[in-house]
Amino acid sequence: MPKSKRNKVISLTKTGKKPGRENNERLFNKIRESIDQYQTCLVFSIENMRNTHLKEVRTDLSDSRLFFGKTKVMAKALGTTPAEEYREGLAQLSSSIAGNVGLLFTLRPAQEIIEYLQTFVKADFARMNCIAPLTFIVPEGTIYSMGGQIPSAEDVPLAHSLESTVRSLGMPTKLVQGKVHLDQPYTVCRQGQKLDSKQANLLKQFGCAVAEFHVKPVAYWTSADFKVTVCDAMEE
């Protein structure tokens, strides 16, 4: 009686490259291609990362190339030692690749790119673990949609349907004559405090955008002189 194909043992020892490795190799090769194609390579860091804002930067700099991936791969593509660097001077630039950083390749003058990045700032809502830049207190009485950020005459009461929502986020609220009410002021957060998820959600609920997305130029290299310029030193 022939053996059933359903019980056939299939060896998994012969497999293709792992997707992660393929992505790393692709990033590595694209960075090296960009080194050959563009005159300037700039390392930038990002505060309060948001993909929507980063996409806007990519659109504004559509004639340039931005890479935001694994720092070890980006550093390896440039070369981490003088013996390994892809072009002269790039090993010095790769030492700046640490933390939440990316690479930007461009044919535009370096100063033009730096000025653009320094002025690109977007207000956004804080997320958990962000440090609160202010103390936010919701006044006692009827709660308004902006949580006391503007005069009540210019605001509207918080929708009664949201009472259970803000209560679940820690506010001791109740409904009084169909309006969301506090018996005493409630401190959502204090300046310098690390936000938890409930505090971040309450700030967002009251439209308090306390975080800023901004891109900081760190250092750049140019093929014109193979030198690395530290942007902080330029500002000084």
Side-chain angles (χ1 to χ4, degrees):
M1 184 176 179
K3 293 182 179 180
S4 172
K5 292 184 179 180
R6 293 181 181 179
N7 297 326
K8 186 177 180 181
V9 177
I10 300 175
S11 174
L12 298 178
T13 56
K14 294 183 180 181
T15 58
K17 293 182 180 179
K18 295 181 179 180
R21 183 176 178 180
E22 289 182 352
N23 291 335
N24 291 340
E25 289 178 353
R26 189 179 301 112
L27 175 63
F28 181 94
N29 292 331
K30 286 184 177 180
I31 288 175
R32 292 211 157 174
E33 290 172 4
S34 297
I35 294 171
D36 294 331
Q37 184 178 355
Y38 295 91
Q39 180 177 346
T40 300
C41 175
L42 181 142
V43 177
F44 62 89
S45 65
I46 290 184
E47 293 285 340
N48 297 303
M49 175 65 180
R50 301 290 190 275
N51 286 329
T52 53
H53 300 324
L54 184 60
K55 184 177 180 180
E56 187 175 342
V57 174
R58 290 183 185 276
T59 300
D60 291 344
L61 302 178
S62 58
D63 56 345
S64 305
R65 293 200 70 176
L66 276 76
F67 295 97
F68 205 79
K70 289 186 177 180
T71 53
K72 288 184 178 180
V73 177
M74 293 190 293
K76 194 71 175 178
L78 300 185
T80 55
T81 67
E84 296 176 347
E85 61 187 6
Y86 186 65
R87 298 282 293 276
E88 180 184 345
L90 284 175
Q92 184 182 349
L93 185 66
S94 70
S95 64
S96 300
I97 301 177
N100 202 29
V101 300
L103 292 177
L104 187 153
F105 292 89
T106 185
L107 293 173
R108 299 192 195 184
Q111 190 57 41
E112 177 184 334
I113 295 295
I114 290 170
E115 290 176 358
Y116 165 80
L117 295 179
Q118 289 176 335
T119 56
F120 190 92
V121 180
K122 299 289 184 180
D124 213 318
F125 297 109
R127 293 179 177 176
M128 184 176 64
N129 294 328
C130 286
I131 303 300
L134 52 73
T135 297
F136 189 88
I137 300 175
V138 180
E140 64 180 297
T142 300
I143 301 178
Y144 286 81
S145 62
M146 296 294 289
Q149 297 179 79
I150 61 176
S152 58
E154 302 174 11
D155 205 348
V156 294
L158 188 71
H160 66 84
S161 59
L162 294 174
E163 191 273 333
S164 60
T165 299
V166 294
R167 180 157 37 84
S168 69
L169 295 175
M171 295 186 70
T173 58
K174 61 183 179 181
L175 286 175
V176 176
Q177 296 181 349
K179 294 182 179 180
V180 187
H181 184 88
L182 274 174
D183 285 336
Q184 58 187 16
Y186 180 80
T187 302
V188 175
C189 64
R190 295 191 181 279
Q191 186 175 5
Q193 177 187 47
K194 182 181 287 189
L195 301 174
D196 61 28
S197 60
K198 290 184 177 181
Q199 291 169 314
N201 278 323
L202 281 173
L203 289 173
K204 185 175 182 179
Q205 180 64 61
F206 292 118
C208 185
V210 296
E212 283 188 344
F213 170 95
H214 60 90
V215 184
K216 179 183 179 182
V218 177
Y220 68 90
W221 168 94
T222 65
S223 60
D225 55 14
F226 306 109
K227 293 183 178 179
V228 172
T229 302
V230 179
C231 296
D232 286 343
M234 291 175 59
E235 292 174 4
E236 293 174 1

